[in-house]
Amino acid sequence: MDPELLERVTARRAELDELEEQLPKQLAEVRAERDEPAVADRVVERVSEQLADERASAAPVRGQIGGRAVMFIPHRAPDVMETMLSPDYQRILAAVRQAAGPVMARQVGEMLGIDVTVRAKMEPLRGRLVRLTGRGWLRKRPDGRFTTPL
């Protein structure tokens, strides 16, 4: 065999071997970069839910009506009627009740006509759902969906 041809074949094999080593690394980098936005979205959603839960579990919000301190969202009790809630909270409860089953905050937003693609509009709704849960008006399942209490 021609020494020059043999040298070219050997050089090409060395290039291919190097390329074979680089390709799995590049593929892993591409997959990681492609999955990065999805991971970031999940992290942001979890942190937002945790913050909403922490805010809801903080000291109850009290206001003044007729010189008396009252809770804006009273705890659910046999003598406390749903009509004592503000109209916004009543609409949220009605939307959860109308759903065929447990619903995510996004679904409630859609039922209420809220632009669910805007995070700044969804976070207040999510906070209200969590507050209603904290006061016993709703129940939050482990998967993050809301339903009426049993």
Side-chain angles (χ1 to χ4, degrees), residues 1 22 25 33 40 43 77 79 83:
M1 183 177 248
Q22 292 174 0
K25 294 174 190 173
E33 188 173 333
V43 169
D79 60 333
T83 55

Side-chain angles (χ1 to χ4, degrees), residues 91-92 94-101 103-114 116 125:
R91 286 181 48 220
I92 292 169
V96 173
R97 267 196 218 99
Q98 288 172 3
V103 290
M104 296 296 291
R106 179 175 298 274
Q107 293 169 291
V108 175
E110 290 170 348
M111 288 187 270
L112 296 174
I114 295 172
V116 297
L125 173 62

